[in-house]
Amino acid sequence: MRKTTIIVPCYNESGRLSKDAFVEAASKDRGLHFLFVNDGSTDRTLEVLKDLKKASPGQFDYLDLEKNSGKAEAVRRGFIAALEGASANIGYWDADLATPLEEIEKFCAILDKGGATLVIASRVRLLGRDIQRRALRHYLGRVFATFASLLLKIPVYDTQCGAKVFKRSDDLKRAFSRPFKVKWTFDVELFARLLLLDKDASLTWVEYPLEKWADVKGSKLKRGDFLKGGLEFLKIFGILYLPFIRRGYLEGLKRNSK
Ligand SMILES: Nc1nc2c(ncn2[C@@H]2O[C@H](COP(=O)(O)OP(=O)(O)O)[C@@H](O)[C@H]2O)c(=O)[nH]1
Ligand SMILES: [Mg+2]
């Protein structure tokens, strides 16, 4: 059976994590696996994850990071573990389910059809779709996404939505082999890594306009983080375009995954 592993980074999510939604998604598709990464939570998150694993040990598992390391590192640790397994598709998904789990099967259908190596969730407000985003987050997000697209030189509309599924590959392994240099914009650094490893990589990436997306209360993102994102872009610029930084960075990725 085709297997898909979805990594769910969790930092103090006991109040937001909907056990029922995960159990329902898993019961609908027996090939679907969830790997939660408890990112040093100080609330009851770990207990919730233990309960889920008890409910279906074959489909739910978790990693427990002792100290809080941030979403980027939590996702990276999840990928390292998932890449050891046999899943054909591996993705990550925000724990608050701003992107509903029902979308996973559509992502996998695109990957399984052949040709695509990555499906990126995109929050595009279109008639007939249900994208509920606060106005300020929407406009800041549009500015951010425009810069991300210019930086990467690819026509991507939304790099920051927390739902992406990849086809397993050696480059994917290399891309997760080293900790990210940035925190808030690691999705952009991840794309940069894949493009450095293969300049044509984006030819097989597909952006999927979500049917449904909604801001979920309890985001830990603060207003200042938008500015931090700008500074992080400078780092990614250096990685992509300054040869003396790029060379060592790329060698590091290739060396570490062997
Ligand atoms: N903010 C934050 N989120 C983390 C961290 N570690 C893991 N996450 C997870 O990253 C995902 C996105 O978090 P959220 O606060 O909803 O971010 P937003 O929706 O982009 O505002 C959730 O699944 C969090 O549990 C962390 O250190 N800080
Ligand atoms: Mg959120």
Side-chain angles (χ1 to χ4, degrees):
M1 196 199 319
R2 168 190 59 76
K3 269 179 67 175
T4 299
T5 295
I6 299 293
I7 290 148
V8 185
C10 300
Y11 178 54
N12 289 345
E13 290 290 0
S14 65
R16 297 201 300 178
L17 205 78
S18 165
K19 272 197 263 181
D20 292 348
F22 282 100
V23 168
E24 192 187 331
S27 69
K28 276 193 195 148
D29 178 357
R30 292 293 173 193
L32 185 56
H33 296 252
F34 290 98
L35 177 59
F36 299 91
V37 184
N38 178 33
D39 186 19
S41 300
T42 50
D43 67 353
R44 293 187 58 260
T45 297
L46 186 60
E47 287 160 55
V48 176
L49 301 185
K50 282 182 180 166
D51 281 353
L52 273 168
K53 187 170 174 176
K54 232 183 266 166
S56 176
Q59 284 182 276
F60 296 116
D61 206 350
Y62 63 85
L63 296 178
D64 187 19
L65 308 187
E66 234 160 72
K67 69 171 186 31
N68 176 242
S69 318
K71 178 179 172 182
E73 182 61 8
V75 167
R76 193 181 78 88
R77 296 283 287 273
F79 266 83
I80 292 172
L83 283 158
E84 298 283 313
S87 288
N89 304 327
I90 306 173
Y92 58 93
W93 217 266
D94 281 355
D96 58 10
L97 301 188
T99 311
L101 293 172
E102 291 83 65
E103 300 277 13
I104 296 174
E105 62 173 301
K106 295 170 203 152
F107 286 44
C108 292
I110 296 172
L111 290 173
D112 295 343
K113 210 166 60 184
T117 58
L118 161 60
V119 182
I120 302 166
S122 202
R123 294 161 291 185
V124 192
R125 292 185 66 189
L126 296 168
L127 290 171
R129 312 240 157 185
D130 183 10
I131 307 295
Q132 305 280 346
R133 211 173 167 194
R134 272 175 291 145
L136 181 67
R137 288 286 291 260
H138 172 78
Y139 290 112
L140 288 179
R142 290 317 312 138
V143 173
F144 183 94
T146 304
F147 278 105
S149 169
L150 290 169
L151 185 63
L152 295 166
K153 294 189 180 152
I154 56 172
V156 59
Y157 181 84
D158 187 1
T159 53
Q160 295 316 105
C161 184
K164 298 182 176 73
V165 185
F166 301 75
K167 194 157 244 173
R168 144 195 303 282
S169 73
D170 290 339
D171 274 353
L172 191 61
K173 203 168 181 180
R174 290 184 192 106
F176 281 106
S177 65
R178 295 203 123 190
F180 290 97
K181 301 278 184 206
V182 300
K183 213 170 155 64
W184 303 103
T185 57
F186 87 95
D187 307 65
V188 180
E189 189 180 355
L190 174 58
F191 290 168
R193 286 181 173 192
L194 291 166
L195 290 166
L196 283 174
L197 289 161
D198 172 6
K199 67 175 178 20
D200 293 328
S202 65
L203 298 178
T204 55
W205 299 353
V206 174
E207 228 174 343
Y208 170 80
L210 293 169
E211 299 279 343
K212 204 170 164 12
W213 191 91
D215 258 323
V216 176
K217 278 204 185 105
S219 160
K220 291 148 207 121
L221 215 70
K222 292 179 237 45
R223 227 162 259 177
D225 294 337
F226 181 72
L227 296 175
K228 281 187 206 150
L231 293 177
E232 290 188 355
F233 270 14
L234 289 178
K235 264 195 198 171
I236 300 175
F237 178 86
I239 289 166
L240 278 169
Y241 300 112
L242 303 180
F244 63 98
I245 298 179
R246 185 180 58 210
R247 215 170 297 124
Y249 182 85
L250 188 55
E251 272 167 22
L253 293 180
K254 289 181 175 166
R255 192 176 336 115
N256 264 266
S257 64
K258 286 208 183 100

